Amino acid sequence: MHIIYFTTAIDKDDYDEYIKKWDIGINPKGQVFHDRLIRCLGLDNKVSVISYRPFSRQHVSEKRLKGEYKIVRNVEYCYLPVLRNTALRALCYRYESSKALRGLKKDSKTIILTDTINPQVVKNATRLAAKYHLKIVGVARTTPSGINNTNRDFTVSLLESTDDLDAYICCTEELNALFNKNSKPHYILPGLIEDKEPVTRKIDEKYIYYNGSLDPKHGIVSLINAYEMINNKKVKLYISGYGENEEFLERIKNVNDINYLGILSERESDDYIYNALININVRPYTEDYERYSIPFKVLDYLYAGNLTISTKNNKLQKYFKNEVIWLKSNEPKEIASQLEKALSLTKADIKTFASAGKEKAHHLFALKPNSEGLVGFLKDVLNNKTSN
């Protein structure tokens, strides 16, 4: 099978270099999810990635991006050129997408996958699928309304442009209901984790690690307040993440026990995840977040084999009821209480607790175990054998 994947994601090594061109941190969730899905599908199949790299005239140091091409094992990446002018950029995308697809071999075993939350990606993927009479599958990681700086018109337009694809791969059943209005075949994929290269860096200090949004509404202030409440100051708080929060930076700049690491690449973040005493997710629970999103980083935390604390998520709690320390709320007092309990555990307790989570996370969400089911689903879509 030949999979042609339309996305904004790029190879993860290239991404680590690309984010250095930005003067602000950008949310890596979409990049991480699509990159892992591409690698999962590419284990035993050829995957051709047509990538519309994220770009901002205000925040990217370069005025334009040249087109690039590379091959990594079974995956070939075609990075489309990116122009600074928005209108010309859209025309360039149309022309370059057509040229890229024209140059790829296409037959009865070829299928298109497309990200569902970028209008240019969706428009070109659906247009070219129709032109070449190829089946097209939407990949829904989150809802359009979850994208920053968008409005209702954006959401409605995007949902209308993705409501009649041939099939869907969605992170949650609620996302499938949102995008898949015509009850086409679908596959639920809550998340993926990737085997990591051995972490060789050793960090001698004991610390709690948070990696995520610096937006106050996502819990960073509650975490800092909670940390200041705990008695064990032999354990530091390490923070990395994306977004602009000058108040946060001003507050911690003279606090010795809180270390802001800035924006880290995935490999750099792995060093801190794997060396941490506790990895923590404090994004507040909301019904929309519960319905339409999965906190993927909790899976990475579990797979690191250390203690994991997280605000509640019913979908993940179904899998990891006893392997995560689940917070009852996002209030500082509750976070502090659970941190104190975690810090009081013996080494034997920690090893038992964490190793069970790691084993289960690998069994459920590693690339290889999920590849067979995903590829089987796509083959059924190609052969019209799926039923909803």
Side-chain angles (χ1 to χ4, degrees):
M1 183 168 57
H2 179 199
I3 300 162
I4 302 173
Y5 202 122
F6 285 73
T7 179
T8 58
I10 60 180
D11 177 64
K12 66 178 181 180
D13 291 335
D14 294 338
Y15 183 80
D16 288 346
E17 287 301 311
Y18 182 53
I19 59 175
K20 296 176 183 177
K21 301 179 188 294
W22 288 68
D23 62 11
I24 62 169
I26 55 176
N27 189 336
K29 286 183 183 177
Q31 160 67 26
V32 171
F33 178 79
H34 289 289
D35 175 68
R36 291 180 184 178
L37 180 51
I38 288 164
R39 291 172 185 274
C40 180
L41 295 170
L43 290 175
D44 299 302
N45 298 275
K46 180 181 178 181
V47 181
S48 299
V49 178
I50 298 178
S51 174
Y52 302 64
R53 288 167 289 180
F55 186 80
S56 167
R57 291 190 296 178
Q58 290 76 32
H59 299 296
V60 176
S61 58
E62 296 186 2
K63 292 185 176 181
R64 66 187 300 272
L65 302 177
K66 295 180 179 179
E68 297 180 40
Y69 178 83
K70 66 179 291 186
I71 296 177
V72 182
R73 292 179 287 278
N74 287 341
V75 181
E76 59 179 340
Y77 293 88
C78 176
Y79 301 155
L80 302 183
V82 181
L83 302 184
R84 196 166 185 82
N85 181 281
T86 306
L88 292 178
R89 191 187 312 161
L91 291 173
C92 180
Y93 281 156
R94 180 182 176 89
Y95 172 78
E96 293 291 343
S97 298
S98 299
K99 188 171 84 169
L101 203 62
R102 194 163 56 244
L104 295 174
K105 182 180 178 180
K106 299 170 286 295
D107 56 29
S108 61
K109 295 182 180 180
T110 301
I111 191 168
I112 287 179
L113 269 63
T114 180
D115 184 353
T116 57
I117 60 168
N118 183 288
Q120 289 295 332
V121 172
V122 171
K123 177 190 277 189
N124 286 295
T126 52
R127 175 178 63 83
L128 291 168
K131 178 178 180 179
Y132 290 102
H133 307 289
L134 298 173
K135 293 290 182 70
I136 181 168
V137 178
V139 181
R141 178 192 64 84
T142 189
T143 171
S145 60
I147 307 303
N148 290 337
N149 303 316
T150 58
N151 55 31
R152 186 178 183 278
D153 289 343
F154 172 87
T155 298
V156 171
S157 174
L158 200 49
L159 290 175
E160 287 177 349
S161 68
T162 55
D163 67 359
D164 196 27
L165 306 181
D166 294 300
Y168 298 83
I169 297 171
C170 303
C171 288
T172 70
E173 288 285 1
E174 291 87 348
L175 277 173
N176 178 62
L178 184 69
F179 283 97
N180 188 6
K181 297 298 185 186
N182 295 311
S183 300
K184 298 290 185 71
H186 72 280
Y187 189 100
I188 302 301
L189 180 68
L192 290 167
I193 55 175
E194 189 173 20
D195 288 330
K196 305 287 186 178
E197 295 179 6
V199 172
T200 56
R201 180 183 178 187
K202 296 296 181 183
I203 302 172
D204 294 329
E205 290 183 313
K206 292 183 178 180
Y207 60 91
I208 301 156
Y209 182 56
Y210 169 87
N211 178 40
S213 173
L214 302 183
D215 190 324
K217 69 183 180 184
H218 290 163
I220 186 66
V221 175
S222 292
L223 174 59
I224 293 171
N225 290 340
Y227 176 76
E228 291 175 341
M229 291 179 185
I230 66 174
N231 296 317
N232 190 343
K233 285 300 187 288
K234 292 181 180 179
V235 177
K236 294 192 174 184
L237 175 61
Y238 283 11
I239 296 170
S240 65
Y242 56 89
E244 298 176 278
N245 187 341
E246 292 181 6
E247 182 181 345
F248 154 74
L249 296 175
E250 183 66 26
R251 178 175 175 181
I252 69 165
K253 70 178 183 180
N254 294 319
V255 181
N256 292 330
D257 295 328
I258 301 178
N259 187 358
Y260 176 57
L261 306 168
I263 303 164
L264 302 181
S265 69
E266 186 177 351
R267 292 184 191 279
E268 289 170 332
S269 180
D270 285 342
D271 286 341
Y272 288 96
I273 291 173
Y274 278 74
N275 280 285
L277 185 62
I278 300 168
N279 289 300
I280 189 165
N281 166 49
V282 291
R283 176 157 181 165
Y285 171 89
T286 66
E287 289 187 0
D288 271 358
Y289 188 66
E290 170 79 14
R291 282 195 294 263
Y292 299 127
S293 191
I294 295 287
F296 304 127
K297 63 186 173 186
V298 173
L299 301 179
D300 287 335
Y301 291 169
L302 282 160
Y303 194 46
N306 299 324
L307 285 175
T308 300
I309 297 178
S310 176
T311 43
K312 73 172 185 176
N313 179 279
N314 292 321
K315 292 179 175 62
L316 288 187
Q317 282 179 262
K318 179 175 68 174
Y319 300 114
F320 302 104
K321 180 180 179 181
N322 299 315
E323 290 79 19
V324 174
I325 299 173
W326 296 105
L327 300 169
K328 295 176 183 177
S329 75
N330 183 249
E331 293 300 315
K333 188 175 180 180
E334 167 65 6
I335 298 172
S337 173
Q338 296 303 329
L339 283 171
E340 294 278 17
K341 288 180 182 178
L343 292 170
S344 69
L345 293 174
T346 66
K347 288 185 178 179
D349 289 336
I350 292 172
K351 185 176 181 179
T352 301
F353 197 91
S355 61
K358 178 172 182 166
E359 183 178 344
K360 188 178 286 188
H362 183 270
H363 174 72
L364 292 169
F365 297 108
L367 301 190
K368 188 65 176 177
N370 281 280
S371 175
E372 184 177 345
L374 281 163
V375 171
F377 171 75
L378 294 177
K379 286 181 177 179
D380 285 345
V381 172
L382 275 175
N383 297 320
N384 297 312
K385 292 182 179 180
T386 51
S387 58
N388 200 34

